[in-house]
Amino acid sequence: MLEKTFAYLKKHLNKYVKKYKKEFKEQCELLGLGVAKADSRVIKRSYCYGFACGLSNKFEENLLETKEEYGEETALMAIGVQSEIKDHIQSVVKPKIVNKNNSLELDRKSFSDGFTEGIHFNV
């Protein structure tokens, strides 16, 4: 599941950012704002955070459906981030540490789009 999710995001994120920036530029021109740029890092971070929240929401819905079908004894347990996931992120994703002012900034549209994709992602 982890590899499928990362492969999807790796393939989809660059296309999403390109489309987002094109739409953003068109909106700025339409509003007469001149040249305004959207930060790719903020867009990607917001999208991924929304995607993760959407997946989490989907898991919660699946748990409720499972409880209805099999009873209240059913549980879903996730404790922290497993070492396999941390190793995968460090070896495959190779995140960059950035000390910029926008490191906590999120973009609402990217978050919302990621959330929607996370809910509809086939695990």
Side-chain angles (χ1 to χ4, degrees):
M1 182 175 102
L2 179 65
E3 288 180 13
K4 180 181 177 184
T5 304
F6 278 120
Y8 171 80
L9 287 173
K10 185 176 181 179
K11 180 181 175 184
H12 183 70
L13 265 178
N14 289 332
K15 291 178 186 176
Y16 177 79
V17 170
K18 188 175 181 178
K19 179 183 171 195
Y20 181 99
K21 285 186 169 191
K22 181 181 176 188
E23 291 173 0
F24 183 77
K25 182 180 176 187
E26 290 171 357
Q27 275 186 328
C28 289
E29 288 173 355
L30 185 66
L31 296 172
L33 296 176
V35 179
K37 295 186 178 182
D39 189 339
S40 298
R41 294 171 298 180
V42 173
I43 295 167
K44 287 180 180 181
R45 180 175 42 252
S46 302
Y47 184 90
C48 288
Y49 184 60
F51 189 87
C53 290
L55 273 180
S56 178
N57 192 8
K58 182 177 182 173
F59 287 142
E60 288 175 18
E61 289 175 6
N62 288 345
L63 177 61
L64 291 175
E65 291 172 5
T66 304
K67 281 186 175 185
E68 285 179 10
E69 189 172 335
Y70 296 106
E72 286 297 317
E73 296 80 34
T74 305
L76 175 66
M77 183 171 69
I79 302 174
V81 178
Q82 301 297 318
S83 61
E84 295 85 11
I85 296 173
K86 287 181 182 178
D87 293 343
H88 182 82
I89 290 171
Q90 292 302 322
S91 64
V92 177
V93 179
K94 299 176 185 172
K96 296 177 184 174
I97 306 294
V98 179
N99 294 327
K100 291 278 186 176
N101 296 344
N102 67 359
S103 63
L104 299 176
E105 187 179 339
L106 289 178
D107 177 76
R108 284 185 180 177
K109 180 180 178 347
S110 300
F111 177 87
S112 177
D113 292 344
F115 185 84
T116 302
E117 286 290 321
I119 289 175
H120 295 104
F121 186 69
N122 289 326
V123 182

